[in-house]
Amino acid sequence: MAGAIAFSAMAAAWPSVSYSQWSETCDTLHAHTQTLGKLAVALAPPEPEFQHVALRITARGWETAPLPAPDGSGSLVAALDLRRHEALVEHSGGGERRVALTPDRPVGQVTVSVLDAVRELAGPVQIDPRPQEVHWDVPLDQDEEHARYEVDWVEAYSRAATQAALVLARFRAPYRGRSTPVNAWWGSFDLAVNLFSGAPADPPSEDFIMRNAMDAQEVAVGWWPGDPRYGRAAFYAYAHPATDEFPGAAVSPQAARWDEALGEYVLDFDDVRASSDPAGTALEFARSVFGHACRTCRWDPALAASAEGVPPPIS
């Protein structure tokens, strides 16, 4: 009986969230995160590799870092509370405004209400409402198409994303080089950590995002709930710049593989969920691909070895 209870609890904590199962709600939630990201673009001081526009996964959902209030009155945070199913804006002075995401409220309506809340609490702000890195182009403040919001799927996503974020945080924790926190990227709707070697790199293209986001040698490990290109949730990993030796290797666990179309190593979330130790299986994938990338891309061996799970001294 105890084993059955433990298995049931693990299944609830690592739920299925493949994009093909909840695509309409996923796209709506994705669009809502873009509104938060656009606020970060408008208000946060710029950082290398676009770190200032990244969001975070917290116990309540997606949210910005503290952003400077436009009127100089303090800071504000914009968030998607996926427990109460509300968008909210909080001011450091104590003001708060909440906007319901249900029942099936269109993205345009929510976006306008969130921007009004920011202006009311913190002063004037303007965003570029054009969505980025998605398969639709209706401005966020005019979007009546994306409204589907199924609470059960959102809550399943939130549990899965939380587990993925914990694995990514554990993976990066001992690394002694420069690294990012677990970023929640509102363009591609994924979570990722980036570990850097300290060497510069040529961006893969002159595209604005690539030019600014990929100017250093790195390995990225992340998770996403799938998209129209790849309809399954998965962990992924890539190296930039990659050598000819990087693609197509046998990495662990056995279910992991190189996906030529994506140009990344992937480990399907369902394979992680099916293992006896989901967190350990996902961590094995992250460390395996990172080690392979460091060897084939000629990183400092001592720096690469620091990611193998030994934390720095604590005094």
Side-chain angles (χ1 to χ4, degrees):
M1 178 63 72
I5 293 173
F7 179 81
S8 177
M10 186 172 68
W14 292 79
S16 175
V17 289
S18 293
Y19 177 79
S20 58
Q21 298 175 298
W22 69 302
S23 59
E24 292 184 31
T25 294
C26 183
D27 287 352
T28 298
L29 185 60
H30 187 175
H32 288 321
T33 69
Q34 297 231 338
T35 299
L36 271 56
K38 297 287 188 171
L39 282 169
V41 170
L43 298 175
E47 297 181 35
E49 286 92 33
F50 285 132
Q51 289 301 298
H52 62 295
V53 307
L55 305 177
R56 301 286 181 265
I57 288 286
T58 70
R60 65 182 171 187
W62 284 61
E63 58 186 271
T64 68
L67 302 172
D71 61 7
S73 59
S75 67
L76 64 95
V77 168
L80 296 175
D81 188 331
L82 304 185
R83 295 178 303 184
R84 298 178 62 171
H85 305 288
E86 297 172 328
L88 71 148
V89 179
E90 298 173 326
H91 190 280
S92 57
E96 177 183 289
R97 298 292 183 274
R98 289 182 173 267
V99 179
L101 302 177
T102 56
D104 290 346
R105 299 189 70 192
V107 165
Q109 187 179 121
V110 172
T111 298
V112 169
S113 295
V114 167
L115 294 177
D116 286 346
V118 172
R119 293 169 185 135
E120 183 178 346
L121 292 172
V125 66
Q126 297 292 329
I127 67 168
D128 179 352
R130 294 173 296 179
Q132 293 177 232
E133 301 179 66
V134 293
H135 56 277
W136 63 88
D137 57 11
V138 178
L140 295 166
D141 56 356
Q142 301 173 30
D143 188 344
E144 300 294 319
E145 172 189 353
H146 295 101
R148 186 75 173 270
Y149 190 96
E150 296 177 82
V151 167
D152 288 349
W153 275 119
V154 171
E155 292 178 351
Y157 163 81
S158 184
R159 293 194 302 274
T162 295
Q163 296 291 358
L166 291 172
V167 168
L168 296 175
R170 183 177 169 189
F171 163 62
R172 72 167 286 274
Y175 184 63
R176 289 178 176 265
R178 182 168 74 93
S179 65
T180 70
V182 180
N183 288 323
W185 292 110
W186 46 273
S188 45
F189 201 50
D190 63 330
L191 312 179
V193 291
N194 300 70
L195 277 55
F196 299 94
S197 71
D202 292 330
S205 77
E206 284 301 306
D207 169 84
F208 174 76
I209 292 177
M210 293 295 101
R211 192 174 69 247
N212 286 279
M214 303 187 74
D215 59 355
Q217 188 178 44
E218 65 176 289
V219 174
V221 181
W223 176 87
W224 84 112
D227 57 28
R229 299 174 306 155
Y230 193 89
R232 303 185 297 281
F235 285 91
Y236 69 85
Y238 66 81
H240 169 71
T243 64
D244 291 342
E245 304 163 76
F246 178 69
V251 296
S252 61
Q254 189 172 3
R257 68 189 186 283
W258 172 257
D259 188 290
E260 188 66 36
L262 295 176
E264 300 171 344
Y265 287 94
V266 295
L267 174 63
D268 285 347
F269 195 57
D270 283 344
D271 288 322
V272 172
R273 295 174 58 243
S275 70
S276 59
D277 178 11
T281 298
L283 184 62
E284 179 184 354
F285 170 74
R287 288 177 174 167
S288 176
V289 179
F290 181 70
H292 171 63
C294 290
R295 290 188 295 274
T296 59
C297 298
R298 316 295 189 263
W299 285 34
D300 177 352
L303 189 63
S306 72
E308 285 300 312
V310 180
I314 306 233
S315 58

